[in-house]
Amino acid sequence: MTKIFLTRMIPGPALKELKKRKSLQIDIYEKDQKISHQELLKRVKGIDILIPLLTEKIDAQVMDAAGPQLKLISNYSVGFDNVDLEEAKKRGINVTNAPCCESSESVAEHAIAFIFALSHRIVEADAFVRSGKYKGWDPNLLTGTDLLGKTVGIVGSGRISSAIARRLHDGFGVKIIYTDIKRNKDFEKAYKAKYKTKEQLLKEADVVSLHVPLLPSTRHLISTKEFKLMKKTAFLVNTSRGPIVDELALIKALQKKQIGGAALDVYECEPSIDCNPRDNYELRKQPNVILTPHIASSTIEARQMMTTVVVKNILAYLNKKSLPNKVA
Ligand code: DGY
């Protein structure tokens, strides 16, 4: 009997595929909330396969609590910074993530919604009307900026970056520049994208959108020095992982009006939107900041497909095939 533990129910019909297999015993955490660390340590005992969410830190302690028979961690998430890959490798545990076309498209749509909402001041305008401040048409009321002809700087050139570049280049007359650890000629060709160093990109972009994984090398990729390079009118969009932006430096840059605004779906000290409560949740007070609760890939299409990918990874493992989304 192969034992599987799923830390919270996930959407879509794909789980049925596992449930109908008699050789599998599937235990699902019954509450619709994040499992506590203590409960997680109890429930993983003796399992062969773990399906965690990005909200669970899967470290040596969890792997030890599971036992040496744990051989697969099939993460229900594209990002895998919640899993200690080194510890997994040491123990011979395979780790897979759940990238899929649908979730890349959803994150791209969310990032683009952010870009338009910032440049047309949609969230500010909505608050303005709701609070009863609208008293009549005014040529200078909540003036925004057009995106047409502007330059969007994309950090990363993977699936999500491509989905953004395709839409912006083909549909909105936007110039695309990008930076990455190495040049991506296909990306350049497909979207007439120009490769830049990070510094050049920050200087030239009207919008900077971040699409890189959280790694030691990308932590605080955007900090004080980087904000100083950005245009005073530029917007920062982060739908990747919070710690890629130094949040305190962002707050300072906004207060000093070093940049034009920011839209964040992820936070450095998630789920808190402020690492240091003494800062009094400064981000919330900025009118030119849009905040969403880590939902960039939260669409029916993406969430269901992520379950399908998790199941595919498990089936490949059970059938002794090579794992399609192995990250360790
Ligand atoms: C992911 O999959 O990494 C997203 O951040 C959560 O849906």
Side-chain angles (χ1 to χ4, degrees), residues 9-21:
M9 192 58 192
I10 51 179
L15 274 186
K16 280 194 205 132
E17 199 51 46
L18 296 180
K19 284 184 181 159
K20 69 183 184 207
R21 295 195 164 213

Side-chain angles (χ1 to χ4, degrees), residues 62-255:
V62 177
M63 295 175 203
D64 286 342
Q69 74 300 323
L70 176 65
K71 282 290 169 269
L72 175 64
I73 297 171
S74 183
N75 211 31
Y76 179 75
S77 163
V78 180
F80 42 85
D81 45 285
N82 60 315
V83 182
D84 188 333
L85 298 187
E86 285 313 309
E87 287 296 336
K89 271 189 216 155
K90 264 194 236 162
R91 291 167 169 75
I93 302 171
N94 298 288
V95 182
T96 53
N97 69 340
C100 51
C101 173
E102 283 77 0
S103 68
S104 303
E105 300 296 330
S106 312
V107 176
E109 287 189 8
H110 200 86
I112 289 169
F114 268 165
I115 296 171
F116 278 105
L118 282 166
S119 47
H120 285 259
R121 303 177 66 177
I122 301 291
V123 176
E124 267 179 274
D126 178 82
F128 182 85
V129 175
R130 281 172 200 269
S131 65
K133 287 187 185 147
Y134 182 46
K135 301 291 179 222
W137 189 83
D138 170 346
N140 298 312
L141 183 61
L142 288 161
T143 312
T145 50
D146 285 336
L147 204 57
L148 183 69
K150 296 285 181 350
T151 299
V152 171
I154 304 181
V155 180
S157 61
R159 277 183 308 267
I160 298 171
S161 301
S162 298
I164 292 177
R166 188 178 69 241
R167 287 170 171 83
L168 290 182
H169 173 261
D170 296 355
F172 296 108
V174 165
K175 289 181 213 136
I176 305 292
I177 57 176
Y178 81 104
T179 191
D180 209 339
I181 41 175
K182 57 179 196 287
R183 278 184 73 163
N184 180 338
K185 294 278 169 66
D186 293 337
F187 186 82
E188 291 177 22
K189 204 165 147 212
Y191 315 114
K192 292 206 176 72
K194 294 218 160 45
Y195 178 79
K196 304 280 170 177
T197 63
K198 181 178 85 172
E199 289 69 25
Q200 287 167 337
L201 178 137
L202 292 168
K203 281 184 197 161
E204 292 175 29
D206 296 297
V207 178
V208 175
S209 196
L210 305 174
H211 304 285
V212 287
L214 176 60
L215 303 167
S217 58
T218 59
R219 185 173 289 273
H220 286 192
L221 188 71
I222 306 294
S223 186
T224 310
K225 181 164 85 57
E226 286 72 23
F227 286 119
K228 280 191 189 143
L229 295 175
M230 287 173 69
K231 293 183 184 177
K232 288 214 175 340
T233 49
F235 299 126
L236 177 75
V237 169
N238 190 9
T239 54
S240 56
R241 283 293 182 267
I244 289 169
V245 175
D246 177 347
E247 224 163 68
L248 194 59
L250 169 63
I251 291 170
K252 290 201 173 124
L254 289 163
Q255 285 168 335

Side-chain angles (χ1 to χ4, degrees), residues 54 77-79 241 294 297 303 306:
L54 63 85
S77 163
V78 180
R241 283 293 182 267
H294 204 150
S297 65
R303 289 288 185 251
M306 285 166 70

